[in-house]
Amino acid sequence: MMDPLASSRHGFIRTVAAASAMLVAACAVSLQLNDYYLYVVTIGAIFAVLAVSFDVLLGYTGYLSLAHGALYGLGAYICAVLTARHGLPFWAALPVAGLATGAAGALVALLSFRTRGLYFAVLTLGIGLVGHQLFLVFDQVTGGVGGFVGIPGPEQPAWLPVSPVAYAALLALALLWVTFVAASLFVRSKLGAACLAVREDITLARALGIRVAAARLSAFAFSATFAGLAGALFAAISSFIAPESFTVLGTGFQLVALVVVGGMGTLWGPVVGAILLTALPEALRVASTYSLLAYGVLLLVCVIFAPKGIASLISAAVRRFRGKSKPAPDPARLRREATP
Amino acid sequence: MSLLRINGVEARFGGVVALAGVTLDIPEGVIFGLIGPNGAGKTTLINVVSGLVKPTAGSITFGAEAGGPWPIASAVSRGIVRTFQQTRAFLGLTVRENLRIAAVSSPDPACIEELVDACGLAPVLDRVAGDLPYATLRHLGIALALALKPRLLLLDEPAVGLAEEEVERLGALVRRWHAGGITVLLVEHNVRFLMEMSDRVAVLDRGAVLFVGTPAECQDRQEVIDVYLGRRQADAAD
Ligand SMILES: Nc1ncnc2c1ncn2[C@@H]1O[C@H](COP(=O)(O)OP(=O)(O)OP(=O)(O)O)[C@@H](O)[C@H]1O
Ligand SMILES: [Mg+2]
């Protein structure tokens, strides 16, 4: 008989292969773009990193956190301070920002221990608001409302002779690949299974010996780590950051929209959501007013016509296409039927 | 040698006394039946032993270890595993994902393959649990518990709502795992099923143990007939 638990290894290899192919294609296309569209790709990829990391928490573990925008900001400011004030190279500041933000995420998890659902969302709303205020108040460190100016860009290796703008886009795409692969590994791990259990039925999870607190903590820490990495990269390639990029009402809610529209609990759905909801309005921008309008309309259309996310539409279409083209016989079943 | 010893366990919810000092000895290696009318405290007793509800007084000893009841995670790691009266499985996930979760804290995930066969889950591995027929779902609920390789399995009305042949299949499953060395505490309203399955039976009424003995002794006792068996027959006559 087939191992009932084996499903994952093959699926994981396929996922990594598909993600790698997409990465190569996206890089190849990006190198043909002008600076404006390269910027759109960069921002889209960074938001996709945020969306994938957010999906581990919202989609797989079932916690709607509004503090994610603040964690993203924390990563950005840590990177800015370390590189601009302390002269650390970007490649050293990046992992520090990720790990420190991951630790902050774990702290949020501990603070919000025992709350769930709406209470949890409100609690993280508070944390997100406080975080944003701290960026404003500690202006000695952060530059306050005026922003943090003069963040050095990521050092570019000599063997990659592309423009700095193209380099930024390649880095953002690479970070997206790393995030996606790491998240795929996480959700397939024992911790990932524990997170699903927490999302579905916390009492049953406990009854089956799942360490609920550990699962929740790891999902938060994982999610926050990649939000921190996204923030750090954003800071380095923007050279300027300000608190308005890390608000609850802006980034915090936008992330919820990206993940819900893309399709929660799929990892790739949120990538689609990020492309559609950040990059597309930018790319189609005629005037910024219409961009916001387009954004709102897109949200409405998606939620009305694809309440389970665009990912569910795409997989249904793929299934229908496969079902018509080849009625694949299950080889295991044939074998079972052949043996007496 | 007793596996589980329950010493004067008391559980109150506000003014409601769900358990009023229960003392029971469950020997290692038996199927121990527990019956009692609605609200007698059977589920509460399982909740206490499995660590889901803290008793207001009393303690339990498991094997050689005193100092229980333990919090639910420690209870599971000691080998005390329970099922739920209202079937509980991860309804939004596939059967395979359900089993993957059970495998997380299983000391021997390889045993799940055998369970899948025994519980008739092989054909439905990729179905969402919420779409399964009721009987299959009940079996999944028990498979999740058995996947943890318990020493003591607490079954809260596993047969409720099942047709006769499904009850028989369930009985065969429980017997098979019992023969493999598991002690079972079986709470059940289906008296015939319970009497057939159990080596010993206890009757609980209004939070107190009324009687402990063999199934044959139990069926002869007037007070048991009065509080429970008689009431059941009267119910059936309605
Ligand atoms: N969490 C709780 N809060 C308040 N009261 C409770 C709680 N759990 C149980 N009770 C009360 O304790 C008493 C015993 O309930 P319990 O569920 O243990 O009975 P039972 O023997 O399992 O009944 P049934 O056969 O209907 O399942 C009931 O009066 C019930 O209302
Ligand atoms: Mg009950």
Side-chain angles (χ1 to χ4, degrees):
Chain A
M1 202 198 112
M2 285 188 307
D3 180 359
L5 302 178
S7 62
S8 313
R9 177 145 320 140
H10 255 72
F12 178 66
I13 291 171
R14 258 203 319 240
T15 304
V16 172
S20 307
M22 297 290 270
L23 172 71
V24 171
C27 289
V29 169
S30 297
L31 291 176
Q32 313 303 316
L33 299 175
N34 68 25
D35 278 5
Y36 176 70
Y37 286 111
L38 275 173
Y39 169 76
V40 171
V41 167
T42 307
I43 294 303
I46 285 177
F47 263 87
V49 169
L50 283 176
V52 170
S53 72
F54 196 59
D55 193 29
V56 169
L57 197 54
L58 176 61
Y60 284 88
T61 319
Y63 284 87
L64 172 57
S65 167
L66 295 172
H68 221 64
L71 291 169
Y72 172 53
L74 183 63
Y77 280 108
I78 289 174
C79 176
V81 169
L82 289 179
T83 54
R85 299 264 161 79
H86 298 282
L88 234 65
F90 168 74
W91 291 110
L94 180 74
V96 174
L99 291 178
T101 311
L107 207 66
V108 173
L110 290 176
L111 272 177
S112 54
F113 190 53
R114 278 165 201 275
T115 57
R116 241 177 111 69
L118 211 49
Y119 294 95
F120 177 81
V122 172
L123 198 123
T124 56
L125 172 68
I127 293 171
L129 290 172
V130 168
H132 176 241
Q133 284 305 311
L134 291 180
F135 299 146
L136 285 170
V137 170
F138 286 103
D139 51 1
Q140 299 284 324
V141 182
T142 64
V145 71
F148 196 118
V149 198
I151 306 163
E155 304 81 10
Q156 192 171 341
W159 51 263
L160 200 62
V162 294
S163 74
V165 185
Y167 181 56
L170 297 185
L171 281 185
L173 288 170
L175 179 62
L176 176 56
W177 184 88
V178 170
T179 307
F180 189 82
V181 170
S184 303
L185 266 178
F186 181 87
V187 301
R188 283 175 162 82
S189 70
K190 281 190 170 191
L191 276 175
C195 288
L196 274 183
V198 170
R199 180 190 83 186
E200 289 288 310
D201 184 340
I202 207 161
T203 304
L204 179 58
R206 287 206 169 95
L208 294 177
I210 301 286
R211 309 271 166 174
V212 168
R216 187 165 37 192
L217 196 73
S218 62
F220 265 86
F222 179 93
S223 175
T225 300
F226 285 91
L229 293 176
L233 184 60
F234 175 72
I237 62 192
S238 308
S239 91
F240 166 82
I241 53 174
E244 66 186 35
S245 297
F246 313 116
T247 58
V248 171
L249 294 176
T251 316
F253 274 110
Q254 199 176 2
L255 272 176
V256 179
L258 298 186
V259 173
V260 170
V261 163
M264 281 190 284
T266 60
L267 294 185
W268 60 273
V271 176
V272 176
I275 292 169
L276 211 62
L277 290 181
T278 29
L280 210 62
E282 286 284 354
L284 301 176
R285 171 148 69 183
V286 195
S288 56
T289 22
Y290 288 119
S291 146
L292 267 182
L293 184 66
Y295 189 91
V297 170
L298 215 62
L299 270 185
L300 283 177
V301 169
C302 286
V303 173
I304 291 170
F305 292 104
K308 281 191 174 167
I310 294 166
S312 73
L313 289 187
I314 296 178
S315 26
V318 168
R319 233 175 292 128
R320 208 168 314 130
F321 175 74
R322 280 211 187 133
K324 268 185 191 148
S325 60
K326 51 166 182 147
D330 175 1
R333 187 183 316 141
L334 290 182
R335 223 178 307 128
R336 231 175 294 134
E337 281 164 1
T339 50
Chain B
M1 174 53 198
S2 80
L3 177 64
L4 177 71
R5 182 167 302 170
I6 301 170
N7 304 314
V9 161
E10 200 182 279
R12 297 164 187 273
F13 301 101
V16 180
V17 182
L19 296 173
V22 169
T23 298
L24 270 181
D25 248 337
I26 298 181
E28 174 125 47
V30 299
I31 297 183
F32 194 100
L34 182 63
I35 55 172
N38 292 115
K42 305 180 297 291
T43 298
T44 305
L45 192 63
I46 287 187
N47 286 343
V48 167
V49 172
S50 63
L52 211 63
V53 162
K54 249 180 114 102
T56 38
S59 66
I60 71 170
T61 303
F62 186 66
E65 200 177 357
W70 297 274
I72 193 153
S74 335
V76 171
S77 62
R78 285 176 169 81
I80 304 174
V81 180
R82 55 92 51 87
T83 65
F84 291 87
Q85 185 168 347
Q86 269 81 37
T87 311
R88 258 178 140 136
F90 301 104
L91 296 179
L93 304 178
T94 63
V95 172
R96 197 188 293 277
E97 287 168 320
N98 271 271
L99 294 169
R100 201 159 73 84
I101 291 168
V104 168
S105 29
S106 171
D108 174 24
C111 77
I112 291 177
E113 203 172 310
E114 185 189 353
L115 263 175
V116 164
D117 270 344
C119 296
L121 297 173
V124 294
L125 275 175
D126 291 307
R127 295 255 306 266
V128 173
D131 296 342
L132 293 178
Y134 178 74
T136 315
L137 188 61
R138 291 244 91 168
H139 277 85
L140 174 59
I142 293 170
L144 293 179
L146 286 174
L148 299 184
K149 289 238 147 178
R151 277 180 79 191
L152 173 66
L153 177 65
L154 312 164
L155 292 172
D156 198 351
E157 300 197 25
V160 68
L162 295 184
E164 201 150 331
E165 68 273 14
E166 291 160 355
V167 173
E168 253 157 50
R169 242 183 75 209
L170 177 85
L173 176 72
V174 173
R175 280 219 183 81
R176 180 167 156 192
W177 255 261
H178 171 247
I182 294 179
T183 305
V184 179
L185 176 66
L186 175 64
V187 168
E188 194 45 74
H189 276 309
N190 183 334
V191 176
R192 218 181 78 198
F193 176 62
L194 182 116
M195 296 295 178
E196 274 173 23
M197 294 288 297
S198 305
D199 304 304
R200 287 183 79 71
V201 175
V203 180
L204 202 63
D205 185 36
R206 275 169 280 170
V209 178
L210 201 71
F211 168 85
V212 185
T214 65
E217 288 165 355
C218 178
Q219 274 161 313
D220 290 341
R221 291 288 284 257
Q222 189 55 44
E223 67 262 42
V224 175
I225 293 170
D226 287 346
V227 308
Y228 192 73
L229 301 175
R231 202 176 301 171
R232 280 271 133 182
Q233 274 148 23
D235 284 352
D238 283 348

